[in-house]
C-alpha cells in the first residue's frame, strides 16, 4: 500500500471517528465474536459503562443479572438479523438499544453496530420544549390581544389596573372646570393624561391644548411667554406687542409641565392669574379676562418643596384640587409588552422595517428597571429597529447588554484559547502517563484521538 493511500485511509478513519463521537446516540461496534472495537462517549453516557470497561473487552464480560441480562450484540450474532430491545441501565436511564449486523462480500458476519438512545433524556427535552411552546403560545396570544388594543395612531395604552383608575378619574373630572395636578417620574406619560382630560372635556376639546415646559424657559422670559407684552414695553419687543400663551389657549387647556421648576417670583404672578382668571401683559395696565383650564405636572415632591421653601404653599393648594399620580413603568410591567408593540409598529412604519419582538426580548424588557420610563422604552425600541439585523429582535441586541460585552481587543480567539489549553493539557498528560493507550484510557477517549492530537501539536 502506498504512503499516500495509507494517509488517505487514516484521514478517512479520523473523520469517521469524529462523526461517530459527535453523535447524540450512543454507538458501539463489535467484531463477529462480540469483541468491542469502539464506543463513543454518548454510549458510555447512556449505559453508565466506562469506556475502558467496553473497548478491548468481549460483551459477554458485561452481562450481569441486574443491569444487563442480555446483550443485543450477542443476539444479533446468534440470529444474524437486526434486533431491538429496551432496558434500564445502572445509572438510571431507560434506553432503547438496536443492533445491526454488517456482512462481508461472502455474506459472513463482519461487524455488529449497536445503537443506544436515552428515552429519559428525550422525554426531558420534550418536556422542556412543551414548556417553551406553552410560554410562546401565551406570548403570541398576548401579542394578538395587544394588537387589538394598540392602534398605530393612538397615543395611549391602558392595560394596568392602576392606570385604568387614573384615566377613569381623569374622565370624570374632565367635565368640571377645575385645576388638576399630575405627579410622577419623568417619562411616565403625564402629558398623555393631560391630553386625555382635554379630549374628554366636551366644552374644550375643540379648543387649543397649549404645552409650557416651565423648566425650559429662562426665568427672565417666563412672564412675557405666559402673559405677553405690549409694543415698546422692553427692548426687542415686536411691533404691536404679542399675546401670551394664556391668551393663545383661550377656551382650551394650558398644560404647565414641570411646574416645580418655576421661579418663586413667577409663582406669585401665576397664583394671581388663577385667582382672578385674567392676565396683564407686560407694559399694560389692562386686565385681559381668560377662559382656560389649567393642568399642571411635576416630577418633584411638591409637598417637600413647600416645606423647604422652594414652592409656595398657597399655589400648591390652588393647583392640587385634583391630584393624579402616574406610577413608574416598573410598577406597571403589564404595559411594557403593549407599549413595546405600539412603538415597534410605529417605527416599522416610519423606517419601512418589519422587525418583530421575541419572547426572549420581552422577558428582558420586563425585568429592566426603566429609570426613564416610557420615554426610555420608546427610545430603546427605536434603537433596536434601526440597529439590528434580521427581522427578529433578541435580548442580546439591547443597548445595555451590548455595552457589557467584554473587550476582546488583543485577546486570543476562542479557538486559539482552546487549542492552547488542549496542547498544554496533553503535554502534561504525556509526561505523566507516557503511552497513548494509557492517556486514552485515563482521559476516556479513543487512542486514535489522542494520537491525532499529539501529532497536531507536535508533542
Amino acid at each position: 500500500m502506498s504512503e499516500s493511500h495509507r494517509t488517505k485511509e487514516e484521514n478517512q478513519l479520523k473523520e469517521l471517528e469524529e462523526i461517530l463521537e459527535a453523535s447524540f446516540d450512543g454507538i458501539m461496534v463489535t467484531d463477529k465474536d462480540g469483541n468491542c472495537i469502539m464506543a463513543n462517549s454518548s454510549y458510555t453516557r447512556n449505559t453508565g459503562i466506562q469506556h475502558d470497561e467496553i473497548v478491548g473487552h468481549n460483551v459477554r464480560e458485561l452481562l450481569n443479572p441486574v443491569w444487563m441480562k442480555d446483550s443485543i450484540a450477542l443476539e444479533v450474532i446468534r440470529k444474524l438479523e437486526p434486533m431491538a430491545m429496551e432496558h434500564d441501565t445502572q445509572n438510571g436511564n431507560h434506553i432503547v438499544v438496536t443492533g445491526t449486523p454488517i456482512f462481508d462480500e461472502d455474506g459472513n458476519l463482519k461487524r455488529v453496530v449497536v445503537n443506544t438512545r436515552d428515552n429519559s433524556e428525550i422525554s426531558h427535552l420534550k418536556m422542556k420544549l412543551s414548556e417553551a411552546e406553552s410560554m410562546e403560545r401565551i406570548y403570541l396570544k398576548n401579542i394578538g390581544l395587544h394588537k387589538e388594543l394598540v392602534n398605530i395612531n393612538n397615543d395611549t395604552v391602558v392595560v394596568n389596573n392602576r392606570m385604568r383608575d387614573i384615566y377613569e378619574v381623569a374622565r370624570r373630572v374632565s367635565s368640571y372646570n377645575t385645576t388638576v395636578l399630575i405627579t410622577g417620574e419623568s417619562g411616565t406619560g403625564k402629558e398623555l393624561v393631560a391630553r386625555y382630560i382635554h379630549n374628554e372635556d366636551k366644552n374644550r376639546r375643540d379648543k387649543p391644548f397649549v404645552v409650557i415646559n416651565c423648566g425650559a424657559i429662562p426665568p427672565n422670559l417666563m412672564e412675557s411667554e405666559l402673559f405677553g407684552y405690549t409694543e415698546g414695553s422692553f427692548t426687542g419687543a415686536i411691533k404691536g406687542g404679542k399675546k401670551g400663551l394664556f391668551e393663545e389657549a383661550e377656551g382650551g387647556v394650558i398644560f404647565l409641565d414641570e411646574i416645580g421648576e418655576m421661579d418663586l417670583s413667577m409663582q406669585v404672578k401665576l397664583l394671581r392669574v388663577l385667582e382672578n382668571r385674567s392676565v396683564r401683559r407686560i407694559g399694560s395696565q389692562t386686565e385681559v379676562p381668560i377662559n382656560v383650564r389649567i393642568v399642571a405636572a411635576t416630577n418633584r415632591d411638591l409637598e417637600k418643596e413647600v416645606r423647604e421653601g422652594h414652592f409656595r404653599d398657597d399655589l400648591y393648594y390652588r393647583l392640587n384640587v385634583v391630584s393624579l399620580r402616574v406610577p413608574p413603568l416598573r410598577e406597571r410591567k403589564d404595559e411594557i409588552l403593549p407599549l413595546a408593540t405600539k412603538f415597534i409598529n410605529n417605527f416599522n412604519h416610519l423606517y419601512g422595517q418589519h422587525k418583530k419582538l421575541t419572547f426572549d426580548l420581552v422577558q428582558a424588557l420586563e425585568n429592566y428597571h426603566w429609570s426613564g420610563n416610557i420615554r426610555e422604552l420608546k427610545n430603546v425600541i427605536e434603537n433596536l429597529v434601526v440597529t439590528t439585523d434580521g427581522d427578529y429582535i433578541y435580548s442580546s441586541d439591547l443597548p445595555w447588554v451590548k455595552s457589557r460585552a467584554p473587550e476582546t481587543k488583543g485577546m486570543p480567539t476562542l479557538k486559539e484559547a482552546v487549542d492552547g489549553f488542549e496542547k498544554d493539557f496533553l503535554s502534561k498528560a504525556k509526561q505523566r502517563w507516557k503511552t497513548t493507550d494509557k492517556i486514552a484510557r485515563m482521559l476516556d477517549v479513543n487512542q486514535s484521538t489522542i494520537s491525532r492530537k499529539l501529532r497536531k501539536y507536535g508533542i
Side-chain angles (χ1 to χ4, degrees):
M1 182 185 295
S2 67
E3 184 66 28
S4 62
H5 186 69
R6 186 180 298 109
T7 302
K8 183 178 179 181
E9 280 194 346
E10 287 178 354
N11 290 337
Q12 289 175 339
L13 181 60
K14 292 174 191 174
E15 185 176 0
L16 178 60
E17 288 177 350
E18 291 171 351
I19 292 171
L20 294 177
E21 185 62 27
S23 172
F24 176 79
D25 290 345
I27 299 173
M28 179 186 73
V29 181
T30 75
D31 64 13
K32 63 183 179 61
D33 298 317
N35 297 310
C36 180
I37 299 170
M38 68 81 61
N40 67 359
S41 58
S42 293
Y43 184 87
T44 64
R45 184 185 69 245
N46 289 348
T47 62
I49 306 172
Q50 296 304 308
H51 186 270
D52 56 2
E53 295 176 324
I54 305 171
V55 178
H57 297 268
N58 192 283
V59 292
R60 291 178 178 84
E61 298 176 37
L62 302 176
L63 296 177
N64 66 74
V66 179
W67 302 114
M68 198 170 175
K69 299 176 182 178
D70 301 303
S71 166
I72 192 75
L74 296 178
E75 288 297 307
V76 171
I77 291 171
R78 185 171 65 85
K79 295 185 178 181
L80 300 177
E81 62 182 28
M83 304 284 293
M85 65 172 61
E86 294 184 27
H87 74 81
D88 294 322
T89 67
Q90 57 185 341
N91 59 351
N93 291 335
H94 181 74
I95 63 174
V96 176
V97 186
T98 60
T100 305
I102 299 176
F103 301 96
D104 62 19
E105 294 177 354
D106 298 325
N108 298 316
L109 180 66
K110 182 171 63 173
R111 298 278 189 271
V112 176
V113 177
V114 176
N115 182 284
T116 65
R117 177 164 292 183
D118 181 5
N119 275 358
S120 58
E121 188 168 353
I122 293 173
S123 298
H124 178 70
L125 290 173
K126 284 182 177 179
M127 181 180 69
K128 288 294 184 183
L129 179 61
S130 176
E131 290 176 0
E133 288 176 343
S134 176
M135 292 300 292
E136 192 75 5
R137 282 195 298 271
I138 294 171
Y139 163 66
L140 291 174
K141 180 180 177 182
N142 285 338
I143 282 285
L145 172 64
H146 296 320
K147 281 183 177 177
E148 295 176 7
L149 290 173
V150 176
N151 185 302
I152 269 185
N153 297 316
N154 192 9
D155 286 335
T156 55
V157 171
V158 184
V159 176
N160 180 266
N161 286 334
R162 289 171 64 186
M163 291 302 295
R164 289 183 186 275
D165 292 341
I166 287 170
Y167 275 94
E168 175 57 27
V169 173
R171 185 191 63 79
R172 289 202 302 267
V173 303
S174 64
S175 58
Y176 298 94
N177 191 35
T178 185
T179 56
V180 178
L181 178 62
I182 306 171
T183 62
E185 294 179 8
S186 293
T188 52
K190 298 186 292 294
E191 183 176 334
L192 295 178
V193 177
R195 288 186 181 276
Y196 179 79
I197 292 172
H198 173 245
N199 292 335
E200 290 296 307
D201 189 336
K202 297 178 182 178
N203 297 321
R204 300 184 183 275
R205 63 176 56 154
D206 297 324
K207 301 297 182 178
F209 179 84
V210 176
V211 179
I212 301 170
N213 188 325
C214 300
I217 302 175
N220 61 323
L221 299 180
M222 180 67 77
E223 184 176 0
S224 62
E225 286 294 313
L226 293 185
F227 309 140
Y229 54 84
T230 60
E231 181 178 343
S233 57
F234 56 85
T235 303
I238 64 174
K239 187 176 180 180
K242 180 186 175 183
K243 285 183 179 180
L245 293 175
F246 270 91
E247 289 184 72
E248 294 288 350
E250 180 63 24
V253 172
I254 191 163
F255 178 54
L256 299 173
D257 197 12
E258 304 303 343
I259 188 69
E261 306 290 332
M262 183 175 283
D263 184 79
L264 279 169
S265 62
M266 271 305 303
Q267 292 178 26
V268 176
K269 295 172 183 178
L270 176 61
L271 178 63
R272 180 174 173 277
V273 171
L274 291 175
E275 291 175 342
N276 297 340
R277 292 289 166 177
S278 64
V279 297
R280 187 167 63 190
R281 296 184 185 181
I282 296 175
S284 173
Q285 300 299 316
T286 305
E287 296 283 337
V288 179
I290 55 168
N291 174 23
V292 294
R293 177 175 198 160
I294 295 176
V295 179
T298 183
N299 61 5
R300 293 192 177 191
D301 182 349
L302 286 191
E303 290 187 355
K304 180 181 177 182
E305 295 290 304
V306 169
R307 290 195 302 270
E308 295 177 352
H310 302 310
F311 201 85
R312 292 182 61 93
D313 58 352
D314 46 6
L315 177 60
Y316 171 68
Y317 295 123
R318 189 69 180 81
L319 292 172
N320 194 32
V321 176
V322 175
S323 179
L324 298 173
R325 177 186 175 271
V326 182
L329 190 55
R330 59 185 170 275
E331 293 180 13
R332 43 182 169 127
K333 291 186 176 182
D334 48 351
E335 294 196 338
I336 289 176
L337 175 55
L339 283 167
T341 305
K342 177 177 84 79
F343 294 146
I344 203 165
N345 285 341
N346 285 344
F347 292 122
N348 276 338
H349 179 74
L350 178 64
Y351 296 117
Q353 297 294 313
H354 303 282
K355 301 295 175 71
K356 299 176 181 66
L357 304 171
T358 61
F359 179 63
D360 162 69
L361 174 69
V362 172
Q363 283 187 309
L365 294 178
E366 290 179 344
N367 291 330
Y368 188 60
H369 183 71
W370 297 114
S371 58
N373 295 292
I374 297 172
R375 188 180 294 117
E376 183 184 5
L377 174 61
K378 184 176 182 180
N379 291 341
V380 166
I381 297 298
E382 182 175 13
N383 172 278
L384 293 172
V385 168
V386 300
T387 63
T388 55
D389 296 322
D391 286 344
Y392 292 90
I393 306 175
Y394 300 92
S395 62
S396 57
D397 297 316
L398 289 165
W400 56 85
V401 175
K402 287 182 177 180
S403 68
R404 291 200 300 266
E407 176 60 53
T408 58
K409 185 177 180 181
M411 293 177 62
T413 64
L414 179 60
K415 184 179 184 305
E416 290 171 342
V418 171
D419 285 349
F421 172 82
E422 191 173 57
K423 180 179 179 180
D424 182 62
F425 183 80
L426 289 174
S427 178
K428 292 177 180 177
K430 188 176 181 182
Q431 290 176 13
R432 181 173 181 180
W433 294 307
K434 310 303 181 186
T435 67
T436 56
D437 179 61
K438 183 70 177 293
I439 295 171
R441 282 190 287 110
M442 298 306 295
L443 299 183
D444 194 23
V445 295
N446 292 333
Q447 184 180 5
S448 60
T449 300
I450 294 297
S451 298
R452 173 170 53 81
K453 288 185 179 293
L454 292 179
R455 285 197 303 273
K456 173 183 175 182
Y457 297 120
I459 300 174

